[in-house]
Amino acid sequence: MAADIFPRKKPANSSSTTVQQYHQQNLSNNNLIPAPNWQGLYPTIRERNAVMFNNDLMADVHFVVGPPGGTQRLPGHKYVLAVGSSVFHAMFYGELAEDKDEIRIPDVDPAAFLAMLKYIYCDEIDLAADTVLATLYAAKKYIVPHLARACVNFLETSLSAKNACVLLSQSCLFEEPDLTQRCWEVIDAQAELALKSEGFCDIDFQTLESILRRETLNAKEIVVFEAALNWAEVECQRQDLALSIENKRKVLGKALYLIRIPTMALDDFANGAAQSGVLTLNETNDIFLWYTAAKKPELQFVSKARKGLVPQRCHRFQSCAYRSNQWRYRGRCDSIQFAVDKRVFIAGFGLYGSSCGSAEYSAKIELKRQGVVLGQNLSKYFSDGSSNTFPVWFEYPVQIEPDTFYTASVILDGNELSYFGQEGMTEVQCGKVTVQFQCSSDSTNGTGVQGGQIPELIFYA
C-alpha cells in the first residue's frame, strides 16, 4: 500500500505534511505546492518519482483521456513516461516524435490510464475488479508488460463461472493464451452456470460460436439452447432490432446449427426447443423424425452428442470393511478436510452403502471453505449391498482453488450399518492433481483421515 512504500517523514520546517498526504494529493490531483526542500524528504529516486505522479509540478505534457463527455486531463513528465514505456519513448523522443503539449487518448478509460501511470511513477500495482480489463488494454497499448502480466494474474485469480465467458472474449482480444485456457477450464466444468450468467449475453458473436462449437462443454443441450436465445435477445437490443422470433434467429445466423438439438432429451425438445418458435416447421418435423423414425432425415444441426468431461475419482482409503456395530447413521455428520495443488471442480462425493444388503440412503452433501458454504445438495442413492462406492452429485460443480483447505461433509439417513474405509492416506496423487487430507472438527460421526465415510472426491481437472 502507499503508506508502506512511502514511510512517513516530517520535513525540517513543517509538522503537518507527510508522504502519505502527498501521495493522496497526487491521487486526487489537487496539485498543492510541495513544502520547501520536499526532495529531501525522500531517500530514493523511486519515492521522489512517486511525488510527481498525477502532479502538475514540472509537467511537460498533458493527456486528455477518455471518450467525449467523460474525459479527464492528466499531467505527465516525458522523461519518466519514456523510461517506463517504449511507446512513450517513441512518442516523445523517437524519430517521428511530435512536440505536443496535449495528447488526446479517447480509447482508454481515465481510471485505467491512472493505474498505468501509478505503476510507471510509483512502481506500485493497484488493480480493481471494475477497471482491470481497461488497465490491461492500456498496458498492452503502451507496452508495459509487467503491468499487463499483473492484470492477467488478477483476472485468473478472480475467474469464476459468472465472468468466464466475458473474460474468454477479452483474453482472445488481448492474445493471452494462458488466460484463455483458464477460461475454457471454468466454462467446460461449470458450463451450465457460465451459460446462465449475465456475462454470457455480453460476449461477441465469434466467442458465442466458439462456445457453441465446444466439444467438452459439460451441459445439457437444452441449457445451451436457452442460453443462445438469451444472447440473441440482448443482441437484438444492441442492434436496435425489435424483439421478435425472426430477429432472434437472424442475429444467431449459422450459429443456431451449432446447437446440438437432436441430442436433447425428447422431453426437453418437445417442451422447449420445438415450442420456442425459433425453428421452422420443417426443422421441427425433421427433428421429431430423427428421434422416432428408423430412417432418419438429414439435418443441418450437429447430431452427435458432446463428449463433455470425464470425472476423476480420488480414493483416499486402501481398504474397506464392515462390522456388526459400525458404521451407524443417526443424523450425525461425517466430514473430512482436503486441499489440492491445482484448481479443480468438485462434482460430488463417492460414498459407501449398506453392508446388510441393498438399501436406499438420503444424503445431504456440503462443501465449505472457512465456514462458508460453497455448495450443497440433498439427494438419494441406492446401494446394492457391495463394498463399491456410490456417487452423489452437487447441482453444479464447485470451483476449488489450490493450496487452501476445504471441508467435505455428508449427513446420511438410511440403513444403520454400512461399509467404512480403512488405512486412509494423508496424500493421494490423482492424475496430475495432488490431494492432501486432514481431520475436520465438523466430523461428529467418527470419520477422519484414517477411516470412515466419504471415501472419494469426484472432480473435473
Side-chain angles (χ1 to χ4, degrees):
M1 298 300 292
D4 298 322
I5 293 177
F6 311 116
R8 298 189 180 192
K9 293 187 179 182
K10 293 184 179 181
N13 299 320
S14 173
S15 61
S16 60
T17 304
T18 66
V19 177
Q20 189 177 26
Q21 287 170 331
Y22 276 136
H23 189 63
Q24 186 60 41
Q25 158 203 323
N26 293 348
L27 283 173
S28 58
N29 198 14
N30 290 327
N31 297 312
L32 300 176
I33 299 174
N37 191 29
W38 61 269
Q39 296 88 341
L41 298 175
Y42 313 105
T44 68
I45 185 65
R46 176 186 176 189
E47 292 174 312
R48 291 191 290 275
N49 268 348
V51 175
M52 294 295 99
F53 165 59
N54 200 20
N55 195 332
D56 269 312
L57 182 67
M58 296 185 287
D60 52 0
V61 66
H62 283 80
F63 301 95
V64 180
V65 186
T71 60
Q72 190 172 343
R73 193 170 187 268
L74 304 173
H77 306 79
K78 293 181 179 179
Y79 167 74
V80 178
L81 295 169
V83 170
S85 160
S86 59
V87 174
F88 283 130
H89 182 273
M91 186 183 297
F92 300 135
Y93 302 107
E95 294 181 359
L96 301 177
E98 297 182 15
D99 189 18
K100 290 183 177 180
D101 294 331
E102 190 172 272
I103 298 172
R104 295 187 176 275
I105 308 176
D107 59 328
V108 177
D109 179 75
F113 196 79
L114 266 174
M116 183 180 69
L117 293 185
K118 188 174 184 180
Y119 171 74
I120 292 174
Y121 278 80
C122 309
D123 199 22
E124 182 178 342
I125 296 174
D126 188 9
L127 300 175
D130 56 345
T131 57
V132 63
L133 282 172
T135 304
L136 176 59
Y137 174 77
K140 288 278 190 176
K141 177 176 180 176
Y142 291 98
I143 311 181
V144 187
H146 297 292
L147 178 60
R149 184 67 252 168
C151 291
V152 171
N153 290 341
F154 183 98
L155 291 170
E156 288 181 355
T157 302
S158 59
L159 183 61
S160 70
K162 292 181 179 180
N163 59 19
C165 295
V166 171
L167 293 184
L168 174 68
S169 176
Q170 296 298 320
S171 68
C172 295
L173 175 65
F174 293 132
E175 297 181 343
E176 288 290 343
D178 291 343
L179 180 58
T180 300
Q181 178 58 33
R182 291 285 191 184
C183 291
W184 277 126
E185 290 173 3
V186 174
I187 293 170
D188 281 344
Q190 297 181 300
E192 294 195 0
L193 282 175
L195 293 171
K196 292 177 180 178
S197 68
E198 292 182 9
F200 178 79
C201 295
D202 295 330
I203 61 177
D204 58 90
F205 183 77
Q206 185 177 356
T207 304
L208 173 73
E209 282 189 308
S210 65
I211 293 175
L212 296 182
R213 193 178 285 113
R214 189 75 172 172
E215 187 69 30
T216 47
L217 210 59
N218 203 36
K220 294 178 181 178
E221 207 62 31
I222 186 62
V223 176
V224 179
F225 178 79
E226 290 170 350
L229 291 190
N230 290 337
W231 179 90
E233 182 174 328
V234 175
E235 182 65 14
C236 285
Q237 295 172 355
R238 282 192 287 262
Q239 296 186 23
D240 292 327
L241 298 173
L243 291 179
S244 64
I245 296 296
E246 293 76 14
N247 284 335
K248 287 182 182 181
R249 177 156 182 147
K250 177 182 177 182
V251 297
L252 281 172
K254 293 183 179 180
L256 177 65
Y257 298 110
L258 297 175
I259 306 171
R260 307 186 183 195
I261 294 177
T263 69
M264 290 181 186
L266 180 56
D267 285 349
D268 288 341
F269 174 71
N271 297 315
Q275 298 188 44
S276 67
V278 173
L279 304 179
T280 65
L281 184 59
N282 285 339
E283 287 170 343
T284 302
N285 289 337
D286 284 347
I287 294 172
F288 268 121
L289 287 174
W290 174 269
Y291 282 109
T292 57
K295 185 179 179 180
K296 301 184 184 299
E298 290 187 7
L299 301 175
Q300 286 185 274
F301 295 92
V302 179
S303 57
K304 184 180 178 181
R306 302 178 197 271
K307 293 179 181 178
L309 295 177
V310 178
Q312 299 183 45
R313 293 175 179 246
C314 175
H315 196 91
R316 67 188 188 93
F317 295 124
Q318 299 180 70
S319 65
C320 69
Y322 69 91
R323 296 175 189 154
S324 60
N325 60 345
Q326 292 182 327
W327 198 266
R328 296 179 181 276
Y329 304 105
R330 294 173 180 171
R332 292 191 291 258
C333 178
D334 287 287
S335 182
I336 191 73
Q337 288 194 329
F338 70 94
V340 294
D341 64 343
K342 294 180 177 62
R343 174 184 286 162
V344 300
F345 302 86
I346 296 293
F349 305 146
L351 303 176
Y352 288 122
S354 171
S355 59
C356 303
S358 60
E360 186 178 63
Y361 286 87
S362 174
K364 179 184 179 182
I365 60 173
E366 189 174 76
L367 197 56
K368 295 191 295 187
R369 178 183 180 181
Q370 297 177 347
V372 178
V373 176
L374 304 177
Q376 60 181 196
N377 198 22
L378 180 62
S379 62
K380 294 183 178 182
Y381 70 96
F382 180 82
S383 69
D384 58 8
S386 71
S387 60
N388 295 332
T389 59
F390 303 92
V392 179
W393 306 95
F394 289 105
E395 184 178 4
Y396 302 110
V398 181
Q399 182 170 310
I400 301 298
E401 297 299 331
D403 305 321
T404 300
F405 273 95
Y406 292 77
T407 302
S409 302
V410 59
I411 297 176
L412 286 168
D413 183 19
N415 196 302
E416 277 283 301
L417 298 174
S418 81
Y419 288 91
F420 59 93
Q422 295 184 135
E423 300 178 278
M425 296 173 283
T426 58
E427 184 173 298
V428 179
Q429 188 70 34
C430 191
K432 296 181 179 180
V433 180
T434 302
V435 186
Q436 293 181 317
F437 294 96
Q438 68 180 26
C439 292
S440 168
S441 60
D442 290 351
S443 190
T444 58
N445 199 43
T447 289
V449 172
Q450 295 303 316
Q453 259 286 6
I454 318 181
E456 285 182 338
L457 300 178
I458 307 174
F459 65 93
Y460 302 115

